[in-house]
Amino acid sequence: MNPVLHIKERDREVLEALVYRIRTFSQRQLADHFWNGSLPNTRRRMKSLAENGLVERLIVQARLTPKLTSPIATWQPGEPTPDFGSIANVCQQRWKRRPTQACVVWIATEKAAQLFGGVRRGELKNPIQATHDLGVAAVWLRQREIAPRFAKA
């Protein structure tokens, strides 16, 4: 039997993000954004959440997300339509130069979804989409830093 788990505010934010906003975080993303870069502390806490049935640890093949510092393109109503072809080319080239590698990721379980009222089923249906999912997580983490209100929405 697992000891009683006390959900901390950081745990709540991680779990709510996994249940409502994104599908997965890499262990490195969690460490960098929630545990001040400490992988041992990240592993220890995520293992505790896993032992209590709230998250699941997976190993996937993914391309690691480049550092996101600014958008590739921006647009507002009234401005000329962006050149989507060249934007797509920049995005594709950026990913082609990154090899795939084994990556530890965490997903919310069905129990976490039930606890927080979300919809996650506790599985990663298409592991080949892990790169995309980690990219979405990187964008959300960046928004969390620069526009927390948008990240909470």
Side-chain angles (χ1 to χ4, degrees), residues 10-25:
R10 174 178 47 204
D11 302 333
R12 178 175 296 283
E13 187 176 7
V14 168
L15 291 168
E16 285 180 354
L18 289 170
V19 167
Y20 297 123
R21 296 174 182 91
I22 59 173
R23 275 191 281 239
T24 186
F25 280 125

Side-chain angles (χ1 to χ4, degrees), residues 6-147:
H6 296 285
I7 303 277
K8 299 174 182 175
E9 186 56 36
R10 174 178 47 204
D11 302 333
R12 178 175 296 283
E13 187 176 7
V14 168
L15 291 168
E16 285 180 354
L18 289 170
V19 167
Y20 297 123
R21 296 174 182 91
I22 59 173
R23 275 191 281 239
T24 186
F25 280 125
S26 73
Q27 191 157 269
R28 172 49 60 195
Q29 286 173 324
L30 288 168
D32 289 346
H33 292 273
F34 294 97
W35 279 272
N36 297 318
S38 173
L39 278 172
N41 287 339
T42 304
R43 281 192 292 265
R44 189 170 25 260
R45 190 58 183 171
M46 295 307 291
K47 182 180 178 193
S48 179
L49 294 173
E51 288 170 349
N52 283 274
L54 298 172
V55 294
E56 183 179 345
R57 179 184 184 268
L58 303 171
I59 298 177
V60 298
Q61 290 293 320
R63 288 181 167 86
L64 298 183
T65 308
K67 182 125 179 92
L68 302 177
T69 56
S70 64
I72 292 172
T74 60
W75 177 84
Q76 293 183 19
E79 294 180 351
T81 303
D83 180 355
F84 292 114
S86 70
I87 293 168
N89 188 49
V90 168
C91 292
Q92 289 169 356
Q93 294 306 313
R94 175 175 63 177
W95 290 108
K96 284 181 181 177
R97 293 188 296 265
R98 296 182 163 287
T100 60
Q101 61 186 58
C103 181
V104 174
V105 299
W106 295 90
I107 62 171
T109 63
E110 187 173 343
K111 179 179 177 180
Q114 291 171 353
L115 182 65
F116 289 95
V119 295
R120 296 290 181 256
R121 290 185 293 269
E123 63 186 352
L124 191 59
K125 278 191 167 185
N126 297 310
I128 60 171
Q129 293 178 327
T131 297
H132 172 268
D133 292 348
L134 293 175
V136 171
V139 169
W140 182 81
L141 288 165
R142 181 70 176 141
Q143 286 299 310
R144 180 179 171 266
E145 290 174 359
I146 63 172

